Amino acid sequence: MDELPIGRRVAYWRGRRKMSQQVFADRLGKSKSWVDKVERGVRRLDKFSVVYDIADVLQVDVTLLLGKEVERKPETQNCIDQVEVEEIRAALERYDQMSAFFQAVPHSPPLTEMRKAVSHAWLTYQHAKYGVLARALPKLLRDAQAADSAHASSDEASTAAHLLGQVYQIASSALRKVGEHELSWLAADRSIAVSQRAGDQLLAGLASYRVGSALLALGRVRPSLEVNVNIANRLAPVGPARPGEDQLSVYGMLLLNGAMSAARIGDSATVRDLLYGAEQAARELGGDCNHYWTSFGPTNVELHRCATAVELGDGRLAVEAHEKMNKAGFHAMLPERRAHHYLDIARGYTQIGDVEKAGEMLLEGDRLAPSEIRCRPLAHEVLSDVLRRTRGTPPAPIAELAEQMGVGV
């Protein structure tokens, strides 16, 4: 995009933000005709103040509009910025397998190195180091795609496909965290196709989980519920033989994700049934585990019990469940899970009008995993709500967090 005129860049980012020319013009305080002339290059943007106003409305760094390399600020180092999103998008838009049909496959790293890189990426995600992950993902995607193409006709084909399927899922999860829901859906959908080539039903089941999460984030709640429940039913343990721990973990996570979808539409009966099924699976599993990078177990079921209560609008139930939770199990969870839970409970406290406790929960999450709070649009909304409803001057730690996150006090 560096070679594009500034007007074309404005049009591009306006389209990405799904704004019509009229809406964009209204937010700028300009006419639709003015916007149209700027985007066509008929009218020059020669005032920096106007360029900064446009960047604010489009929620992009001004350097993206000017075609310069972004200078990342220290406080955004652990988040995913627009440049990194576009690099991930470019990697997802590659079609190496199709290219391999016509020409020699480019060099790919050894699969042993790929396994280590993929495991490291999973751990980076589960420790909520989203900025670190974002800077590694474009190359990891390209390498995994190249490896998948290079081994397409070898004995290692299923292994390479499995690794690529995992990378797509990591990308999907990270993109959803920062509000890039369409791109998250694309990555998850890619993982389903690759997982089928890998011949791994559980990996395909987890890919379906990611698709369900992306659909839920997009507001496509019923399709999200259907995909989670349908695939969970196919992976449900049947027969007298004890199911494997991997199977129980993937099955349980699909039920939990389905419960979140059911809660979004207010179907409390389905929420209760799905949580019960997940609880049974966790009990059979015997404890908290991280099979297939799921963090599934009794504690994660309790976290979802709180989260579904919040989605149902029952903040008091969520807070009560939080207070009764097994503290040892909770503190043994990975940082992303715990910080995510603090954000959910902050929402619960706002629902019952206790904005002071809501603020405390945001601070707890920020201390544990800053990226989970500072990088997520949802956390910005909750913090804005806390500030708006706080009488008088907000506590100094909350005011400082708001300043660091760019949320107006």
Side-chain angles (χ1 to χ4, degrees):
M1 281 220 333
D2 285 355
E3 68 277 7
L4 291 179
I6 188 170
R8 292 280 301 281
R9 292 194 198 100
V10 170
Y12 170 81
W13 285 107
R14 178 179 60 75
R16 284 291 312 282
R17 298 296 180 246
K18 294 182 170 58
M19 289 185 202
S20 66
Q21 283 189 335
Q22 186 62 63
V23 169
F24 181 49
D26 290 344
R27 293 185 183 181
L28 273 176
K30 302 287 186 180
S31 68
K32 181 182 176 183
S33 172
W34 184 91
V35 171
D36 182 64
K37 288 177 181 176
V38 165
E39 292 185 349
R40 289 190 292 114
V42 175
R43 186 183 185 103
R44 294 182 58 189
L45 284 174
D46 49 10
K47 290 185 178 179
F48 276 106
S49 60
V50 176
V51 176
Y52 276 97
D53 287 343
I54 290 172
D56 285 341
V57 171
L58 295 176
Q59 296 182 330
V60 299
D61 194 297
V62 70
T63 51
L64 285 177
L65 296 180
L66 296 173
K68 299 175 182 177
E69 184 177 352
V70 173
E71 180 182 351
R72 294 185 172 96
K73 300 175 184 178
E75 63 266 26
T76 64
Q77 284 290 319
N78 288 322
C79 291
I80 303 176
D81 63 27
Q82 289 89 3
V83 171
E84 291 157 347
V85 168
E86 292 310 309
E87 289 175 351
I88 294 169
R89 181 189 301 279
L92 286 171
E93 288 173 348
R94 289 163 60 95
Y95 286 85
D96 281 2
Q97 269 214 316
M98 194 63 181
S99 300
F101 185 71
F102 298 102
Q103 60 189 36
V105 177
H107 171 74
S108 66
L111 293 183
T112 51
E113 290 183 15
M114 283 299 307
R115 285 193 192 92
K116 292 178 183 177
V118 172
S119 294
H120 184 262
W122 274 120
L123 288 171
T124 303
Y125 172 77
Q126 292 191 322
H127 284 80
K129 304 291 185 182
Y130 302 140
V132 175
L133 180 60
R135 289 184 277 282
L137 264 176
K139 183 178 186 300
L140 186 58
L141 279 161
R142 291 192 294 270
D143 286 348
Q145 290 163 339
D148 182 53
S149 297
H151 293 281
S153 302
S154 75
D155 293 339
E156 300 279 10
S158 61
T159 300
H162 202 285
L163 290 169
L164 178 57
Q166 291 184 64
V167 176
Y168 280 142
Q169 292 193 37
I170 296 168
S172 175
S173 295
L175 289 163
R176 181 174 51 83
K177 288 281 189 183
V178 296
E180 292 288 339
H181 304 319
E182 292 279 1
L183 206 52
S184 172
W185 186 16
L186 171 63
D189 189 66
R190 288 276 181 85
S191 182
I192 287 182
V194 175
S195 300
Q196 290 174 339
R197 286 198 286 105
D200 187 336
Q201 287 188 336
L202 298 183
L203 186 66
L206 270 184
S208 301
Y209 167 91
R210 311 288 172 194
V211 166
S213 296
L215 287 171
L216 181 59
L218 285 164
R220 303 286 296 158
V221 184
R222 290 197 180 276
S224 173
L225 176 59
E226 288 171 7
V227 72
N228 281 292
V229 173
N230 287 344
I231 302 302
N233 287 338
R234 296 179 190 183
L235 292 177
V238 292
R242 188 179 187 278
E245 294 182 343
D246 290 347
Q247 180 184 355
L248 286 168
S249 297
V250 175
Y251 167 70
M253 286 307 295
L254 285 162
L255 293 179
L256 291 178
N257 215 23
M260 291 299 296
S261 299
R264 183 72 62 86
I265 56 176
D267 187 349
S268 57
T270 299
V271 170
R272 184 171 57 251
D273 290 345
L274 293 175
L275 286 177
Y276 177 77
E279 187 177 30
Q280 295 299 107
R283 191 170 297 161
E284 193 162 0
L285 185 62
D288 296 314
C289 302
N290 198 21
H291 299 298
Y292 269 67
W293 308 98
T294 57
S295 292
F296 181 71
T299 305
N300 210 349
V301 173
E302 291 308 304
L303 299 189
H304 281 78
R305 195 179 303 282
C306 296
T308 51
V310 171
E311 287 296 333
L312 288 166
D314 194 342
R316 190 162 303 284
L317 179 61
V319 169
E320 290 173 356
H322 165 72
E323 292 173 347
K324 294 176 183 176
M325 189 180 299
N326 181 294
K327 295 299 187 287
F330 176 69
H331 289 300
M333 297 289 283
L334 288 158
E336 180 273 335
R337 285 281 77 216
R338 283 187 283 159
H340 186 129
H341 174 71
Y342 281 128
L343 177 54
D344 286 333
I345 297 304
R347 293 172 64 202
Y349 275 117
T350 62
Q351 288 176 354
I352 62 175
D354 193 341
V355 293
E356 182 179 351
K357 289 293 290 184
E360 290 177 11
M361 293 298 99
L362 290 175
L363 291 170
E364 285 290 340
D366 184 64
R367 280 189 282 268
L368 178 65
S371 294
E372 182 66 17
I373 303 301
R374 302 185 185 197
C375 303
R376 296 195 60 189
L378 178 60
H380 284 242
E381 292 175 15
V382 176
L383 181 54
S384 294
D385 190 26
V386 168
L387 292 171
R388 186 174 63 253
R389 296 165 63 182
T390 297
R391 294 182 179 180
T393 305
I398 287 293
E400 183 180 350
L401 179 62
E403 183 179 357
Q404 291 169 339
M405 290 173 61
V407 177
V409 178

